[in-house]
Amino acid sequence: MNPLSQLPSVDRLLSAAAISSLIELHGRAIVTGVAREVLAATREAFRQGATLPAEDALISRVGAGVTAKMAPRLRPVFNLTGTVLHTNLGRAPLPEAAVQALLTAARSPCALEYDIDSGGRGDRDDIVNELLCELTGAEAATVVNNNAAAVFLLLNTLAQKKQVVVSRGELIEIGGAFRVPDIMQRAGAKLVEVGTTNRTHLRDFAESVTPRTAMLMKVHASNYAIQGFTHAVPEAELAELAHGKGLPFVIDLGSGTLIDLSAYGLPHEPTPREAIAAGADLVTFSGDKLLGGPQAGLLVGRKDLIAKIKKNPLKRALRVGKLTLAALEAVLALYRDPDRLHQRVTAVRQLTRPDAEMRAAAERLLPALQKALAALPVTVEIVALKSQIGSGSLPVDRLPSAGFAIRPQGRKGGVLNRIEAALRGVAHPLRPVIGRIEDGALLLDLRCLDSSDEEEFRNTLGALRAG
Ligand SMILES: *Cc1c(COP(=O)(O)O)cnc(C)c1O
């Protein structure tokens, strides 16, 4: 008799109690599909020489298969990398007010492009136009999918088939393939590089203006710093030069925090308000970097130029949806109360968190981590760390923080990679922990672990111990 005929049928597996509850949860189709896959894989393994598993084992394989298949791919994680605005981990976490606004907009029809007062058609940019003007001192504003889109749309609208003058020191690449020369080319603009990598002067700009020049542009060198023998032309001088020649002066700020970060002991980062005050005609910046909002690209500046940009058919292709606008409006509204900003805007709160808080969290969590790693040849200690802002903001400055350093006992580093993978690899619905390996230690920076998340963090550690 063929031993394979001993295998239970799909129907039999589906009628097991544990499987019925999965069907209740996820539906018959997906569970049936996984049961077929499990049986097929079992037959194949048998042909390769494996013994046939018992029915219970098959049932738990189906259960694990369904759970794995139905787990969301966009899983929440603990960002203990020490990089606060981590692009690969979704940058700024939204403040609660923005989460609520987003849920409300998601659930119900809303006045996205509808003027409730007149009953006529509205403009989706009007949802945040007033707030953005108030917070930046600009005359008008518009919103697109991200800052890369904002820069692209600006160039395509105002500089197609014309020249854009930029300093050689600002021809930057931002992670994830945003490169100023490439964006320029795709937007149909001709890049005119002036000056040198480290020094660019006003005369370099003045000499390069021709009848085909569309604008002078400044790009904030977000993610790198040039130090030593350097010179960049101040914004106000570039604005004056541009205006003297009848040209607009535009600035891609990148991060574009709306507040003076030095008030919180952080290094100063240029703000859109300063850029507008210095004479910039248009400024672009991200919604999900230092601003702490959803992914978006914000364009603020002169009313006539914003109007032109909004008429570009590409604006329709790059526009944002109601969820983004709902979250953005809620975050911008928080900026009307600067006194409580550092408590309410999550990204700002995390960036300004005193290291004593991270140290206290480390003291609370140390026993759980030690317990989780007790069987392994490693040491765990609380250490001072330096966090980074991330997303190309303030590349040089680092924020004093605290967390854990896990080091191998003896010379073998392989154990660190195993722990790092295990912390990442916990099964849904546990939340994976993302740390970083540096100088022979696995570092867990606690800056971005909210105290309300500590319980869930302990759960992940508990699973690690069990595994
Ligand atoms: C981050 C950044 C961009 C890209 O912004 P996204 O919102 O990621 O599209 C463009 N320019 C500068 C200077 C930046 O720092």
Side-chain angles (χ1 to χ4, degrees):
M1 184 177 120
N2 181 356
L4 281 176
S5 64
Q6 308 270 305
L7 274 181
S9 65
V10 172
D11 282 344
R12 189 179 159 84
L13 284 181
L14 294 188
S15 65
I19 301 293
S20 317
S21 61
L22 282 176
I23 293 174
E24 189 70 21
L25 208 58
H26 302 295
R28 178 168 289 273
I30 185 93
V31 182
T32 309
V34 173
R36 288 209 175 97
E37 281 166 27
V38 166
L39 288 172
T42 306
R43 281 188 211 103
E44 182 54 30
F46 178 75
R47 283 182 207 111
Q48 307 286 332
T51 53
L52 281 182
E55 190 164 322
D56 279 357
L58 287 172
I59 289 169
S60 53
R61 277 183 208 176
V62 174
V66 171
T67 307
K69 201 163 204 147
M70 296 309 288
R73 295 294 179 269
L74 190 57
R75 284 172 70 187
V77 300
F78 289 111
N79 171 14
L80 305 195
T81 60
T83 300
V84 178
L85 301 170
H86 198 300
T87 296
N88 303 140
L89 301 181
R91 292 195 183 156
L94 288 179
E96 196 47 38
V99 173
Q100 288 310 320
L102 193 151
L103 289 175
T104 305
R107 281 200 192 101
S108 149
C110 54
L112 178 62
E113 288 188 343
Y114 183 77
D115 182 0
I116 293 179
D117 291 335
S118 69
R121 194 190 162 91
D123 176 345
R124 66 180 66 204
D125 284 337
D126 285 349
I127 293 165
V128 289
N129 185 62
E130 199 179 306
L131 269 164
L132 278 169
C133 292
E134 188 183 308
L135 294 166
T136 63
E139 292 172 1
T142 182
V143 186
V144 289
N145 180 57
N146 56 16
N147 187 39
V151 174
F152 177 77
L153 186 61
L154 181 161
L155 292 169
N156 181 264
T157 308
L158 303 177
Q160 203 177 20
K161 301 202 176 96
K162 291 189 181 160
Q163 298 174 344
V164 178
V165 188
V166 187
S167 162
R168 286 203 165 88
E170 298 172 359
L171 298 177
I172 54 164
E173 172 181 311
I174 310 280
F178 174 89
R179 297 173 127 199
V180 171
D182 296 349
I183 287 276
M184 194 84 67
Q185 193 199 4
R186 288 284 170 159
K190 172 118 183 43
L191 171 66
V192 176
E193 306 174 21
V194 298
T196 60
T197 305
N198 56 330
R199 290 173 69 85
T200 301
H201 305 278
L202 191 62
R203 62 170 185 275
D204 296 324
F205 282 92
E207 285 163 5
S208 59
V209 172
T210 74
R212 293 190 53 220
T213 306
M215 63 176 70
L216 305 188
M217 183 174 190
K218 186 169 177 69
V219 182
H220 183 50
S222 315
N223 55 0
Y224 84 114
I226 302 186
Q227 283 168 337
F229 185 58
T230 64
H231 186 261
V233 187
E235 283 86 345
E237 289 179 29
L238 277 177
E240 201 188 321
L241 173 67
H243 298 159
K245 308 231 180 225
L247 298 171
F249 169 52
V250 309
I251 306 182
D252 172 17
L253 269 189
S255 235
T257 170
L258 291 174
I259 46 163
D260 179 7
L261 289 173
S262 58
Y264 299 99
L266 292 167
H268 182 78
E269 175 89 349
T271 68
R273 182 180 288 284
E274 289 166 356
I276 297 283
D281 300 283
L282 284 171
V283 182
T284 69
F285 54 103
S286 286
D288 56 353
K289 291 185 181 172
L290 287 169
L291 183 70
Q295 178 187 306
L298 311 177
L299 277 139
V300 303
R302 251 167 58 191
K303 205 169 185 162
D304 59 327
L305 298 178
I306 294 285
K308 255 191 186 168
I309 286 170
K310 288 171 70 152
K311 283 206 198 91
N312 186 333
L314 282 170
K315 167 65 165 62
R316 174 66 177 71
L318 301 172
R319 73 183 186 185
V320 292
K322 65 174 183 172
L323 302 185
T324 299
L325 282 165
L328 184 61
E329 182 187 20
V331 173
L332 291 174
L334 296 176
Y335 279 84
R336 283 181 160 156
D337 181 6
D339 298 339
R340 274 181 290 179
L341 205 60
H342 64 290
Q343 294 155 359
R344 290 171 157 185
V345 177
T346 315
V348 177
R349 187 177 75 227
Q350 291 180 341
L351 288 168
T352 57
R353 223 178 149 189
D355 61 336
E357 265 190 35
M358 282 74 90
R359 190 160 280 274
E363 307 278 359
R364 284 193 296 276
L365 294 166
L366 179 65
L369 182 61
Q370 279 173 329
K371 211 163 148 190
L373 302 177
L376 296 169
V378 291
T379 59
V380 185
E381 60 174 336
I382 295 174
V383 288
L385 295 169
K386 295 271 190 206
S387 318
Q388 271 183 297
I389 296 178
S391 276
S393 313
L394 316 160
V396 184
D397 301 284
R398 298 190 145 225
L399 319 169
S401 186
F404 301 113
I406 303 165
R407 292 197 178 83
Q409 281 170 338
R411 292 272 118 212
K412 293 220 176 67
V415 66
L416 286 190
N417 292 321
R418 287 208 329 267
I419 297 169
E420 189 268 339
L423 284 166
R424 257 190 299 119
V426 294
H428 172 76
L430 289 166
R431 218 160 137 182
V433 173
I434 318 290
R436 71 176 198 270
I437 291 181
E438 194 177 285
D439 298 334
L442 172 56
L443 304 178
L444 304 177
D445 186 323
L446 295 179
R447 175 177 295 277
C448 298
L449 184 76
D450 274 1
S451 49
S452 60
D453 285 336
E454 285 180 19
E455 202 47 50
E456 217 186 322
F457 179 67
R458 285 174 200 274
N459 291 340
T460 293
L461 293 182
L464 204 64
R465 186 169 78 242

